[in-house]
Amino acid sequence: MTPPLSRRAVLQTAILAAAAPGAAYAAGGRAAAATLPAPSAWTLRPFQLGEVALGEGLFAAKRALMLDHGRGYDVNRLLQVFRTNAGLSTLGAVAPGGWEGLDGEANGNLRGHYTGHFLTMLAQAYGSTGEQAYADRIGSMVGALTEVREALRHDPAVLAVAGRFGTAPENVRGSYQYVDLPADVLGGASAITLSAWVKPTHDANWGRVFDFGNDTTRYLYLAARNASGVPRFAITTGGPGGEQGLDGAAALPSNVWSHLAVTIAGGTGTLYVNGAAVARNTAMPLTPAALGTLKNNWLGRSNYATDPVFAGAFDEFNVWSRALTADEITALQNSRAADSFAGRGDLASYAFDETTGGTFADASGRGLDATLRRTWGGPSHPGFLAAYPETQFILLESMTSGDYTKVWAPYYTAHKILRGLLDAFLYTDDARALDLASGMCDWMYSRLSPLPDATLQRMWGIFSSGEFGGIVEAICDLHALTGKAEHLALARLFDLDKLIDACAAGDDTLDGLHANQHIPIFTGLLRLYDATGEQRYLNAARNFWDMVVPVRMYGIGGTSTGEFWKARGVIAGTIGATDAETCCAYNMLKLSRMLFFHTRDPKYMDYYERALYNQVLGSKQDKADAEKPLVTYFIGLTPGHVRDYTPKQGTTCCEGTGMESATKYQDSVYFKAADGSALYVNLYSPTTLTWAEKGVTVTQTTDYPREQGSTLTVGGGSAAFELRLRVPSWATGGFRVTVNGRAVSGTPVPGSYFTVSRTWRRGDVVRVAVPFRLRVEKALDDPSVQTLFHGPVNLVARKTSTSYLPFGLYRDAALSGDLLPTFTPVTGKPLHYTLDGTEFAPFFEGTEDPTHAYFRRAEPKVAFGNTDSGVANPAKDDGTTLLDDIWAGAPFSGKGALVSRVRATVDAWVAAGLLGEADGEKVVETARNASYAS
């Protein structure tokens, strides 16, 4: 009986049958050669980066630091790991280190991710500024990656370097290359000499000069360095415990040619280094004759799978069926073997004077030609492109639990490379970049499409190893460009059904999940909804967002602690040094932006402002650095935390997304309605929009958030459209709009958009007043733990103390409910205030000061207008105090309204037995006699 098709198979068949072929992209604006077609499901459209110019201000200053970094960093350092994987010259470049390099954390198993981030950063920098230097750097990187893919498509070829006598092949560290010799190379000899010239380029222990054996039981080898760092020769028929060995006396120097030779005859073995005998063992009866014909005969590779491949160059490898004399070995130091007393090896002789290809002729007369190979063979598909072998992808398919020391998110790394290539194409129109991106997806489809559903579901559910980042979004974007059916089918192979179905049903299963492994999944689901119309994708994304905001969100907009989510509503209980991974904020912004395209719900832009103006800006240090982007990994919210802007040598995921964030600050300032009927002003930021379709420009002049409002000036021709100005949810009083000096009628509603509809003409001036109010936001699980906001700006206390600072804020509160009168402004420092000798500053300032983002609210006595009633401030079981209840009625139209609120609240508390009647009268009398700011 034929088994029924799986749900996935049915969907794939439908997609392959229905998807339209062919590219579909339109010409874009300045510095943007191509644009993605906007999905029909989007009710709004973004503008290109080149259409929105940043003016002088907070964002431009932060961006300038990143632009300088992108302009000056040596991109060959990023390409180093790709070139090594392909066995190409690295041009002397050294990888950055940290997570990006062979020696990084977990053996560098994430290498290549940072290159993708850097490409995106350069593309956005070019798109924003039009500066040719960024396009040139993109072109050189894409060219190098094209060469890498071409090299990986074929058998490895010799990288020729200057040898001891002529040219020599070099095994670049990380190339996984070795020389494979025929099985009869040792000839069953009862006496032998093996001789080689080597130039090590790395000091890893146990890299083999040669290793001839069947497995880890029967072999003979010569390691350039043993565990003690000196050369070692060993022969055995009984594994490591039966080794008969010779150990050198000193380490071989790096980047210097050294001659090594081993002789065995008559039970004696001798090890020579540069012509001098450095070790002799008279108890070595084993010879190649005792080993028999061996299966694996390798130069540069070990029969122990965990040993490193030898990194360095080889010259002149010879094998003789006798023990050369000391004089003969000494003579080998100054001439080729062919020109020495010894002559060529009679069992095998390789001069390595080959500069192309991967075959080495044997000059012994036995015809034992050798072949250059990779330990992992080669890619399963010609589209493969990575900075490490395909083995990580293959191993993931059989893993049942995560182990990032073996497999560290290979599809996540593939996503970063794919995204970088797509952005390179979109901003520079480099067809090579699109070809590389398309090839990667062709390869992934060939790799994943044959796998059973159960295997895919298991893979994507594995922590860290199965993480795939925003790859679905990138694949859908590619599909919009290529129209290839396989690309859309590939995007759906990443469906993690358990998560999607739970979120679509509104079931919150996030507790314990790795936050940034899952957030970008939902941007991909939205793009799948755009491409397929499947409602569960949209439902899942919308419901997921509500499971994070606000129930797992810190005041700055960030989420996660130690990279993971805890139970919903637990905020104070998770505050620590590893809160709010910066990547999470980056991806939540992307998700919020995309949800707004679909729904136009202002809550998404409220969140966008919160996270952008606080965590994202605050994650970038206000300091120039040529080598590092200086972006936080964890932002850290524990009292007295000092931000670390160079974690793990500056190459983590968060430095990567931080580079991207800093070159696209303007991407969500304006959106346009799909039919062109309206312009949405989402953020108040100094910018100039060029709206080509309407023939107008809109220039915002503002120092927001240091200024409480913005001025918009229309330029160009005339055009009719609605101007929709965001009214932040925190703007609860005084939001006003004038056009050419005349007030616009209407009632602004916090958390909505205020619409001005007219035919706009050159010179029209719109003034938006957005008065700030100082307010607190309480932790959901402990109302006494609070964070302070002035308008959109989170204010943090700066103090070295590592415990929560206690502050009372009601004593001078204004009738409007504004807490600002309790604070004293710092002269000459906008948005800086002091309270009880402690300075408060904006979170967005990227300093290394110890900060307190949260404090402990302490209102021990009931006071009004700095007049103390002498009555203790009582509290309910949930932590709400009498003063909280009173001031919850703000704003008050006047003092009488406040006193009335006090009277009503006191009466209710007295009736509930929470406050004594006499104390209640003292409270009312104090409120009546106090004076207040308006």
Side-chain angles (χ1 to χ4, degrees):
M1 177 178 178
T2 302
L5 287 174
S6 69
R7 173 181 173 278
R8 192 194 84 197
V10 171
L11 290 171
Q12 277 189 261
T13 301
I15 292 168
L16 289 168
Y25 60 86
R30 178 176 69 89
T35 58
L36 288 167
S40 59
W42 290 7
T43 62
L44 299 173
R45 302 285 191 268
F47 289 95
Q48 298 302 304
L49 291 178
E51 296 174 311
V52 183
L54 272 182
E56 183 177 348
L58 175 61
F59 288 109
K62 292 266 190 180
R63 184 183 70 170
L65 297 171
M66 197 63 75
L67 290 176
D68 287 345
H69 174 69
R71 192 183 294 113
Y73 192 80
D74 180 6
V75 295
N76 284 312
R77 297 187 64 189
L78 302 174
L79 295 166
Q80 192 255 15
V81 289
F82 286 89
R83 286 171 166 149
T84 59
N85 190 44
L88 300 175
S89 171
T90 63
L91 308 179
V94 177
W99 285 7
E100 193 59 52
L102 297 168
D103 295 312
E105 188 172 346
N107 305 309
N109 281 346
L110 208 65
R111 60 188 182 271
H113 79 120
Y114 204 70
T115 301
H117 285 299
F118 206 87
L119 269 172
T120 292
M121 182 267 286
L122 290 175
Q124 292 175 170
Y126 180 55
S128 294
T129 69
E131 188 176 329
Q132 187 61 33
Y134 299 116
D136 292 343
R137 313 200 90 202
I138 292 168
S140 66
M141 293 180 73
V142 170
L145 293 175
T146 301
E147 292 174 0
V148 165
R149 186 182 68 174
E150 187 63 22
L152 289 170
R153 285 178 166 182
H154 304 287
D155 291 334
V158 168
L159 173 60
V161 298
R164 176 64 178 83
F165 299 109
T167 58
E170 181 179 9
N171 282 345
V172 178
R173 181 166 175 260
S175 65
Y176 300 91
Q177 292 179 173
Y178 68 102
V179 179
D180 190 21
L181 307 180
D184 196 34
V185 66
L186 296 179
S190 57
I192 200 163
T193 299
L194 302 105
S195 162
W197 282 96
V198 295
K199 185 172 72 171
T201 56
H202 189 257
D203 60 1
N205 293 341
W206 297 116
R208 302 296 204 258
V209 176
F210 58 76
D211 193 337
F212 304 133
N214 286 337
D215 44 36
T216 57
T217 300
R218 197 176 193 86
Y219 54 78
L220 65 81
Y221 70 79
L222 175 61
R225 293 172 61 92
N226 64 5
S228 300
V230 299
R232 173 174 173 78
F233 172 82
I235 184 171
T236 182
T237 56
E243 286 187 358
Q244 299 171 10
L246 297 160
D247 293 307
L252 298 181
S254 294
N255 299 304
V256 173
W257 285 103
S258 295
H259 182 257
L260 300 173
V262 176
T263 64
I264 302 176
T268 296
T270 307
L271 172 64
Y272 295 85
V273 177
N274 293 326
V278 297
R280 180 168 282 109
N281 184 345
T282 58
M284 292 185 68
L286 287 176
T287 67
L291 299 180
T293 301
L294 300 172
K295 179 175 62 175
N296 304 322
N297 300 276
W298 297 328
L299 302 183
R301 181 180 179 183
S302 171
N303 276 285
Y304 286 83
T306 57
D307 287 341
V309 175
F310 176 80
F314 286 89
D315 203 353
E316 287 249 319
F317 179 71
N318 284 275
V319 185
W320 290 269
S321 59
R322 64 186 179 88
L324 298 187
T325 66
D327 288 343
E328 286 177 312
I329 290 174
T330 298
L332 292 174
Q333 309 308 299
N334 299 312
S335 65
R336 293 177 180 269
D339 300 326
S340 72
F341 302 136
R344 297 183 186 276
D346 61 319
L347 292 179
S349 179
Y350 306 96
F352 294 122
D353 282 328
E354 179 157 359
T355 56
T356 60
T359 301
F360 305 102
D362 172 29
S364 71
R366 300 179 68 212
L368 302 180
D369 293 351
T371 306
L372 187 65
R373 302 191 189 281
R374 299 187 188 98
T375 60
W376 56 285
S380 63
H381 185 281
F384 175 77
L385 177 63
Y388 45 67
E390 195 175 357
T391 49
Q392 277 216 44
F393 299 90
I394 297 169
L395 285 171
L396 176 61
E397 294 167 9
S398 60
M399 291 181 74
T400 57
S401 61
D403 183 349
Y404 85 138
T405 65
K406 293 183 174 65
V407 176
W408 191 2
Y411 285 97
Y412 172 94
T413 303
H415 162 242
K416 300 309 174 188
I417 299 166
L418 176 62
R419 182 76 261 172
L421 290 168
L422 279 173
D423 290 333
F425 169 70
L426 289 169
Y427 286 100
T428 69
D429 202 23
D430 190 330
R432 297 174 301 173
L434 183 61
D435 181 59
L436 289 170
S438 184
M440 285 187 70
C441 288
D442 293 343
W443 157 71
M444 282 188 275
Y445 183 72
S446 73
R447 172 105 249 138
L448 295 175
S449 59
L451 298 179
D453 288 332
T455 299
L456 292 172
Q457 296 299 319
R458 172 173 47 77
M459 286 165 58
W460 308 144
I462 298 174
F463 161 59
S464 190
S465 297
E467 182 175 357
F468 54 77
I471 200 166
V472 175
E473 177 193 358
I475 295 170
C476 287
D477 286 352
L478 176 72
H479 171 258
L481 295 169
T482 67
K484 290 184 68 171
E486 291 84 358
H487 292 165
L488 183 56
L490 170 64
R492 299 190 77 152
L493 296 179
F494 289 90
D495 277 7
L496 181 54
D497 289 332
K498 181 178 180 181
L499 176 71
I500 297 170
D501 292 340
C503 288
D507 296 331
D508 188 337
T509 61
L510 303 188
D511 187 6
L513 291 184
H514 182 225
N516 198 53
Q517 181 167 345
H518 294 87
I519 298 170
I521 288 176
F522 292 90
T523 60
L525 296 185
L526 285 174
R527 294 293 285 117
L528 276 174
Y529 169 74
D530 296 335
T532 67
E534 189 168 330
Q535 189 66 33
R536 75 168 186 143
Y537 290 139
L538 178 61
N539 293 344
R542 294 178 69 170
N543 291 341
F544 165 78
W545 193 92
D546 290 328
M547 294 171 190
V548 177
V549 181
V551 293
R552 290 182 173 89
M553 180 194 76
Y554 300 106
I556 58 172
T559 186
S560 80
T561 181
E563 297 196 6
F564 289 82
W565 282 308
K566 303 301 182 184
R568 60 187 294 134
V570 180
I571 302 300
T574 60
I575 289 174
T578 59
D579 292 327
E581 182 187 355
T582 303
C583 274
C584 292
Y586 164 90
N587 280 310
M588 283 299 296
L589 286 180
K590 290 190 72 173
L591 178 60
S592 301
R593 182 178 192 259
M594 199 172 292
L595 282 167
F596 190 66
F597 290 156
H598 288 86
T599 68
R600 289 184 291 180
D601 189 330
K603 71 180 182 181
Y604 298 123
M605 282 296 109
D606 265 341
Y607 173 82
Y608 201 97
E609 179 185 65
R610 175 192 294 269
L612 178 65
Y613 276 89
N614 294 292
Q615 173 155 4
V616 172
L617 282 181
S619 67
K620 174 71 186 86
Q621 189 172 16
D622 299 330
K623 178 182 174 182
D625 192 296
E627 289 299 306
K628 296 181 177 64
L630 299 182
V631 178
T632 60
Y633 182 3
F634 299 118
I635 204 82
L637 299 174
T638 191
H641 181 76
V642 177
R643 294 175 208 167
D644 180 4
Y645 298 97
T646 54
K648 301 178 184 292
Q649 299 185 56
T651 55
T652 67
C653 52
C654 292
E655 277 90 351
T657 54
M659 291 191 299
E660 295 182 31
S661 291
T663 48
K664 63 169 185 175
Y665 287 137
Q666 75 272 37
D667 76 340
S668 297
V669 176
Y670 309 99
F671 297 145
K672 56 189 173 185
D675 61 3
S677 63
L679 176 67
Y680 284 70
V681 180
N682 307 305
L683 301 172
Y684 299 107
S685 174
T687 49
T688 296
L689 166 67
T690 300
W691 193 358
E693 298 95 327
K694 293 290 186 180
V696 299
T697 62
V698 177
T699 299
Q700 273 201 74
T701 305
T702 181
D703 195 24
Y704 190 95
R706 299 184 181 100
E707 177 184 351
Q708 299 182 26
S710 183
T711 300
L712 294 85
T713 304
V714 178
S718 63
F721 58 87
E722 293 180 346
L723 184 66
R724 296 186 179 176
L725 304 161
R726 190 174 67 87
V727 185
S729 58
W730 48 262
T732 55
F735 186 96
R736 299 183 306 280
V737 179
T738 64
V739 176
N740 299 330
R742 300 184 64 179
V744 179
S745 61
T747 303
V749 177
S752 70
Y753 281 77
F754 185 82
T755 300
V756 183
S757 183
R758 59 184 274 137
T759 298
W760 299 94
R761 293 179 173 81
R762 180 184 182 90
D764 283 345
V765 176
V766 180
R767 175 62 190 168
V768 184
V770 193
F772 293 1
R773 183 170 66 88
L774 194 68
R775 70 189 190 282
V776 297
E777 292 187 359
K778 303 173 183 178
L780 299 177
D781 52 330
D782 185 348
S784 71
V785 175
Q786 302 181 358
T787 188
L788 197 65
F789 278 85
H790 190 220
V793 179
N794 184 230
L795 296 179
V796 296
R798 288 180 175 170
K799 202 162 190 175
T800 57
S801 169
T802 56
S803 57
Y804 284 114
L805 301 175
F807 291 108
L809 306 179
Y810 285 136
R811 60 194 185 214
D812 280 320
L815 292 172
S816 64
D818 192 349
L819 301 172
L820 191 61
T822 303
F823 292 76
T824 302
V826 178
T827 303
K829 297 175 71 175
L831 296 176
H832 284 245
Y833 303 91
T834 60
L835 177 63
D836 298 338
T838 298
E839 183 173 3
F840 283 76
F843 191 97
F844 63 66
E845 291 186 353
T847 72
E848 294 178 293
D849 295 296
T851 63
H852 294 247
Y854 283 87
F855 61 91
R856 182 78 68 182
R857 188 65 174 269
E859 306 278 358
K861 296 293 183 67
V862 178
F864 296 97
N866 217 18
T867 302
D868 191 342
S869 69
V871 176
N873 186 24
K876 298 178 181 177
D877 290 342
D878 65 358
T880 302
T881 68
L882 175 67
L883 284 173
D884 290 334
D885 220 349
I886 291 169
W887 284 101
F892 301 108
S893 58
K895 179 178 178 179
L898 170 61
V899 173
S900 295
R901 173 74 178 191
V902 172
R903 176 81 271 172
T905 305
V906 163
D907 289 347
W909 281 59
V910 170
L914 299 171
L915 179 68
E917 187 172 352
D919 283 344
E921 292 306 316
K922 289 180 184 178
V923 169
V924 174
E925 187 63 21
T926 301
R928 186 177 291 120
N929 293 332
S931 58
Y932 306 91
S934 58

